[in-house]
Amino acid sequence: MTLSKPIALIAFSIISVPTYASAHDDQCSVVAASVADAGFEGDVTVTCTDSHAILTSDTYPDHDLMTGIIGTNEQVPVPAEYAAPIILTPTQGTTPLTRDAALGVAVNGVPIYDYTGGGEMSEADLAHHQAQHDTLQTNQLDVCGGHAGRGDDYHYHAKPTCMIEQMQNAGDAAIIGWAFDGFPIYSDANPDGTAIADGALDVCNGQPDEVFGYRYHTSPDSPYIVQCLMGEVPDFDALPRVRPLSAATGGGAQPGRPPQGGVDDLVFTQNDDGSRSMDYTYEGDPYFIRYAPAETEGCYAFTTQTVTNKGEVMTGEFCR
């Protein structure tokens, strides 16, 4: 979706930048270094074309998942092959871009969405906090800033705190992700460690940068993370989406619906054999979603008892 009115950027102070960001003449190397320096080169493959750096991963991070969620949508994280294209020659635009899918990718290969559950906001939505759609305030996110979306795909809607704790180069100078317009994403402070001045971040949660031209930030308050893209994206409508699960016999998997009032005691268990289980209670009754790898590659055998399906035990094989 393209918005009609340009939104001006705010003036900034010149800052120091991380040393690996100075190799601006080879942006592919910069993107690859951001992954390698963070210690995720074993989880994310970086390849480059003439126009893009492609970050390929299974979107399934090696950190705690789903802990702390109350407003569950009754979806679980399932690995999903994902190739995130990052423009190598970013150009700042004048009109913010939004979509109901990822706006970028973290250096561990997990997609980054805006803070809302629906995405693709209007100009008025961008200017005003949408509390009813805020995934953090409605308790839909885990303690790591992410959750499983409608496609049973794990992604971040807020600062990826657990990933940052894992980063070998963790610190204000570290790039924590890349937006699809080619501009980097940093954490809550300027790369030189100074605090970001009140009002310095624009509507997309970004500000000018002396090396890249522009950069995004996470923030303690809404919008918490990249809210829209301020760079030009010629192939915006063709940006990737995680392929949802579909039944092995054909047809899509029905997305869950958040149980009214939320659930209690949600626990997500991961076993060495690849099986997973999300167990929780709702109004005193137990519910669960469990799956294990099936014989067919990319497929999983599910057994579920959910509020969405009114407590009926259901089984099936689902594939990406």
Side-chain angles (χ1 to χ4, degrees), residues 5-32:
K5 295 182 180 179
I7 297 179
L9 298 175
I10 299 172
F12 72 111
S13 298
I14 299 298
I15 59 171
S16 61
V17 295
T19 54
Y20 67 72
S22 62
H24 191 58
D25 57 339
D26 188 357
Q27 188 77 342
C28 180
S29 296
V30 175
V31 174

Side-chain angles (χ1 to χ4, degrees), residues 1-4 96-103 112-128 130 132-133 135 150 157 204 226-229 236-239 241:
M1 170 180 176
T2 302
L3 304 180
S4 58
L97 303 172
T98 72
R99 66 193 298 249
D100 62 344
L103 295 172
I112 293 175
Y113 285 53
D114 66 37
Y115 74 91
T116 69
E120 194 167 8
M121 293 182 279
S122 68
E123 185 173 359
D125 292 337
L126 289 171
H128 302 284
Q130 305 297 299
Q132 72 274 26
H133 301 302
T135 52
R150 287 168 288 184
H157 283 278
C204 292
V226 179
Q227 180 174 229
C228 47
L229 299 181
F236 186 70
D237 292 335
L239 287 173
R241 296 174 182 267

Side-chain angles (χ1 to χ4, degrees), residues 59-187:
T59 74
Y60 199 97
D62 183 22
H63 61 58
D64 187 24
L65 295 174
M66 310 301 280
T67 297
I69 291 178
I70 296 173
T72 179
N73 54 10
E74 296 198 296
Q75 310 284 161
V76 292
V78 180
E81 185 177 343
Y82 191 69
I86 308 302
I87 294 174
L88 291 177
T89 54
T91 301
Q92 195 166 335
T94 57
T95 304
L97 303 172
T98 72
R99 66 193 298 249
D100 62 344
L103 295 172
V105 64
V107 289
N108 67 348
V110 174
I112 293 175
Y113 285 53
D114 66 37
Y115 74 91
T116 69
E120 194 167 8
M121 293 182 279
S122 68
E123 185 173 359
D125 292 337
L126 289 171
H128 302 284
H129 177 233
Q130 305 297 299
Q132 72 274 26
H133 301 302
D134 187 321
T135 52
L136 181 62
Q137 292 190 9
T138 53
N139 299 308
Q140 297 180 48
L141 303 185
D142 61 21
V143 295
C144 299
H147 73 167
R150 287 168 288 184
D152 293 288
D153 56 311
Y154 189 82
H155 52 253
Y156 299 122
H157 283 278
K159 181 179 179 179
T161 54
C162 298
M163 183 202 76
I164 291 173
E165 291 173 358
Q166 293 179 325
M167 291 174 64
Q168 295 177 2
N169 63 338
D172 297 323
I175 292 173
I176 66 170
W178 294 89
F180 285 144
D181 58 10
F183 293 112
I185 306 169
Y186 290 86
S187 192

